[in-house]
Amino acid sequence: MPITIREVALKAGVSTAAVSKVLHGRGASVRVSDEKAAIIRKVAQEMQYRPNALARQLRSSRTHTVGLIFENLFGIANGPLYYMHLLDGVGEVMFRNHYRVTILPELAHDDVLGSLGDGQLEGVIWCKMARNDATLKLIHECPIPIVAMNTPAPVDASEAVFISCDNEGGLELAVDHLWRLGHRKILFVREVEEVTTPDCIARLLGFRQAMARRNVEVEDEDVATWDWQLDQFVDWWDSDPPHTAVVCWSERCGAQMLLRADGRGIAIPDDISIVGFDSTQYCETTKPRLTAVRQPISEMAAHASKVLLDMISGETPEQPSYTFPCTLDVRDSTSFPRKTVEIPL
């Protein structure tokens, strides 16, 4: 059992108030001589007394704990490293500032306001927060600061801070790369489990915009919504589609497509080119290595953490949203198209 203040006081022959004054600095009216203070510290050291951090935090209304909410968290151990980079960025800042991080995936769908208002958390980083009226109302009513990660800022003013990558710019990089290789008919693939997440929505919009800049209208057949295992891929391929390249909304989606193609005997990139999004080290392990848009996940997460700590300290954020630029890592999954596709003018 942990040693208590009462036990230290008993052995030192002083009151508990004196021990609390010396070891915790509490009790302005309590006077303790230097000699008694030295005895108290010596006894506490000999007894290996450790203060009860939780009790102290509850008394001071500070918990030094922030929440990290994941929306649609699944498949974290299946290879892609998005969440690992997220945790790395958050942990590096929070732990250095002596804050604990509590992962709370269940809050994404349960009684969020009640959970966030119970006094256990000082702030929250909410990853892939849905942008809807209910969420904006929650932000307005939430008693603690919120930083939304991988969520573009809404048009309406909000008390939260929004941090995201330039999804539209990232899709322009992907489409431009494929276009320069000669691809004209490109498929965008998203997962049905992710269609409502802000970054998936933004990437589809970016794809449409990038194709429109090249005078190509995106038809229904140019957007596929499949399950995360891409079970529909084989049927799609067997239908002899006109597409010569695919842009996948994430690196997990792109890697899964590589697996499906390999199982079907489809040569990548000879038969079809594939581009993913995120571009963590995981893309170096796929066969072939996956060309992908890189978003600076750890940097974004670290910045989100710094902004949240500033908000907890009572500082007003310099701006309501931050957008980080993307880059493109060209690897082995893209090449010139084998077949030519005519695009009507």
Side-chain angles (χ1 to χ4, degrees):
M1 293 289 292
I3 300 298
T4 65
I5 284 182
R6 186 180 301 276
E7 291 172 308
V8 173
L10 184 62
K11 185 169 183 179
V14 298
S15 67
T16 56
V19 175
S20 181
K21 171 71 174 181
V22 173
L23 299 183
H24 303 312
R26 291 196 300 270
S29 62
V30 178
R31 297 183 180 277
V32 182
S33 67
D34 292 342
E35 181 182 358
K36 286 290 186 182
I39 293 174
I40 291 171
R41 293 190 183 95
K42 183 174 183 295
V43 170
Q45 184 177 11
E46 291 174 349
M47 298 182 71
Q48 297 183 332
Y49 168 75
R50 297 291 183 272
N52 187 323
L54 179 59
R56 292 177 63 189
Q57 289 163 358
L58 291 175
R59 284 192 293 268
S60 64
S61 298
R62 296 293 302 274
T63 64
H64 283 84
T65 302
V66 298
L68 179 59
I69 301 178
F70 290 155
E71 181 76 16
N72 291 344
L73 172 63
F74 67 97
I76 193 171
N78 287 346
L81 301 175
Y82 170 86
Y83 286 109
M84 297 299 101
H85 284 262
L86 173 71
L87 292 171
D88 184 55
V90 171
E92 191 274 332
V93 173
M94 290 300 177
F95 299 156
R96 188 178 67 240
N97 286 277
H98 310 293
Y99 267 77
R100 290 186 290 267
V101 178
T102 300
I103 299 176
L104 303 165
E106 72 279 3
L107 285 189
H109 304 289
D110 292 343
D111 178 16
V112 181
L113 195 60
S115 299
L116 298 184
D118 64 4
Q120 297 186 44
L121 303 175
E122 294 187 21
V124 166
I125 296 175
W126 194 323
C127 185
K128 301 183 181 181
M129 171 187 281
R131 290 194 308 172
N132 51 44
D133 292 341
T135 301
L136 295 178
K137 182 175 184 293
L138 181 151
I139 292 173
H140 179 71
E141 297 177 353
C142 186
I144 60 176
I146 295 177
V147 175
M149 172 88 175
N150 274 103
T151 305
V155 176
D156 299 335
S158 173
E159 289 83 356
V161 173
F162 294 81
I163 294 177
S164 67
C165 70
D166 182 6
N167 287 294
E168 290 86 349
L171 263 295
E172 169 61 30
L173 292 174
V175 170
D176 183 66
H177 170 63
L178 293 171
W179 195 269
R180 289 175 183 272
L181 288 173
H183 297 279
R184 297 297 181 265
K185 192 67 172 174
I186 304 171
L187 177 72
F188 181 87
V189 176
R190 57 183 179 173
E191 299 161 358
V192 66
E193 297 87 354
E194 302 284 354
V195 293
T196 61
T197 58
D199 43 5
C200 187
I201 294 172
R203 289 169 199 174
L204 176 56
L205 175 62
F207 174 71
R208 293 184 184 278
Q209 292 173 339
M211 296 300 288
R213 280 189 285 270
R214 291 158 179 82
N215 298 316
V216 176
E217 182 179 355
V218 175
E219 307 287 349
D220 290 344
E221 68 173 9
D222 300 324
V223 178
T225 305
W226 297 339
D227 62 65
W228 76 272
Q229 293 179 314
L230 306 191
D231 291 327
Q232 300 90 337
F233 172 77
V234 172
D235 288 341
W236 171 79
W237 181 260
D238 289 344
S239 70
D240 191 25
H243 307 88
T244 61
V246 178
V247 174
C248 294
W249 91 278
S250 70
E251 69 179 12
R252 181 182 66 183
C253 182
Q256 189 66 24
M257 182 166 287
L258 292 178
L259 289 174
R260 289 293 184 184
D262 181 64
R264 187 67 174 76
I266 301 168
I268 307 295
D270 293 340
D271 293 333
I272 192 165
S273 290
I274 299 175
V275 178
F277 201 110
D278 290 332
S279 198
T280 68
Q281 187 65 23
Y282 176 64
C283 294
E284 295 287 342
T285 69
T286 61
K287 295 181 180 180
R289 298 181 311 143
L290 181 65
T291 294
V293 176
R294 177 184 295 273
Q295 61 167 323
I297 304 167
S298 294
E299 182 181 348
M300 292 162 58
H303 189 72
S305 301
K306 293 174 184 176
V307 170
L308 182 61
L309 290 179
D310 288 343
M311 294 171 71
I312 290 172
S313 299
E315 298 182 22
T316 301
E318 295 180 359
Q319 56 194 74
S321 64
Y322 298 83
T323 302
F324 286 71
C326 294
T327 55
L328 181 69
D329 295 328
V330 179
R331 298 186 179 92
D332 306 326
S333 64
T334 52
S335 185
F336 303 101
R338 173 175 292 183
K339 59 184 178 181
T340 302
V341 178
E342 295 290 338
I343 301 295
L345 299 177

